[in-house]
Amino acid sequence: MGPISYPYLPEGRSFLYVEEGNPFMAAARNYALAHSMDDAVKTGSVVVVDGVVVGEGANGSDFHKKQECERVKRNVPTGEGYELCEGCHPKNHSEVRAIRAALSKLDSVDGADLYLWGHWWACEPCWSAILDAGIARVYLMEGSERLFNKSHPDNILGTYA
């Protein structure tokens, strides 16, 4: 397999990969499945400091249950135009919610790790939150570029067990 071409990745940053059975990735997965409000793309994140989960977040809001997504109506590509739709707004992304939850308990998460399940990359607003918080490493699940990529034929989006 060649290098992965992410829709967005800040200069000098990279993703690290762990197996699905990694306990922190499993925690992100379990949180996503229990708390995500997006049935098509369930996403969960955990922030880990010194081997302890200190923040959890899942994506979504109930906005799309009541109103149509403005991004869908305008056929906006993935990773763009989140500000156009209240339901898609970055404040509803799992990474931002996990960081916010961690910072509600701690003064700082500088040097922490973030584990992201259900996605194969992080958008620019989420990377901004990650960098602003001082998160040192971002982990994805091995194979996420296939499993959670809408354009890949092997994706499992919407088929979660």
Side-chain angles (χ1 to χ4, degrees), residues 32 35-38 41-44 57-61 92-94 97:
H35 299 282
S36 175
M37 295 178 145
D38 185 335
V41 183
K42 290 186 178 293
T43 305
N59 66 322
S61 76
N92 296 319
H93 293 194
S94 70
R97 286 183 168 164

Side-chain angles (χ1 to χ4, degrees), residues 111-154:
D113 297 327
L114 186 138
Y115 290 78
L116 171 59
W117 184 89
H119 237 326
W120 67 282
W121 64 287
C123 66
E124 186 172 356
C126 286
W127 265 112
S128 291
I130 289 164
L131 296 171
D132 289 348
I135 302 286
R137 290 160 296 279
V138 178
Y139 292 90
L140 299 174
M141 189 175 81
E142 288 178 349
S144 61
E145 72 281 0
R146 294 183 326 276
L147 299 172
F148 305 122
N149 184 342
K150 290 178 185 176
S151 65
H152 197 285
D154 295 338

Side-chain angles (χ1 to χ4, degrees), residues 10-132:
E11 188 174 327
R13 294 304 299 250
S14 63
F15 291 107
L16 301 170
Y17 288 85
V18 295
E19 294 178 356
E20 183 177 8
N22 174 283
F24 300 120
M25 189 58 69
R29 177 186 188 271
N30 292 341
Y31 199 83
L33 295 180
H35 299 282
S36 175
M37 295 178 145
D38 185 335
D39 292 333
V41 183
K42 290 186 178 293
T43 305
S45 294
V46 297
V47 174
V48 177
V49 174
D50 296 328
V52 176
V53 174
V54 297
E56 301 166 305
N59 66 322
S61 76
D62 63 356
F63 182 85
H64 293 137
K65 291 181 183 5
K66 300 173 185 170
Q67 298 187 35
E68 187 176 355
C69 177
E70 191 62 32
R71 292 176 66 244
V72 170
K73 286 193 313 191
R74 296 183 188 192
N75 200 29
V76 175
T78 188
E80 298 177 21
Y82 293 123
E83 71 284 353
L84 297 172
C85 177
E86 177 64 24
C88 298
H89 195 280
K91 70 182 179 186
N92 296 319
H93 293 194
S94 70
E95 302 95 320
V96 172
R97 286 183 168 164
I99 292 167
R100 192 169 52 234
L103 290 173
S104 74
K105 300 173 195 169
L106 303 172
D107 291 334
S108 171
V109 291
D110 193 49
D113 297 327
L114 186 138
Y115 290 78
L116 171 59
W117 184 89
H119 237 326
W120 67 282
W121 64 287
C123 66
E124 186 172 356
C126 286
W127 265 112
S128 291
I130 289 164
L131 296 171
D132 289 348

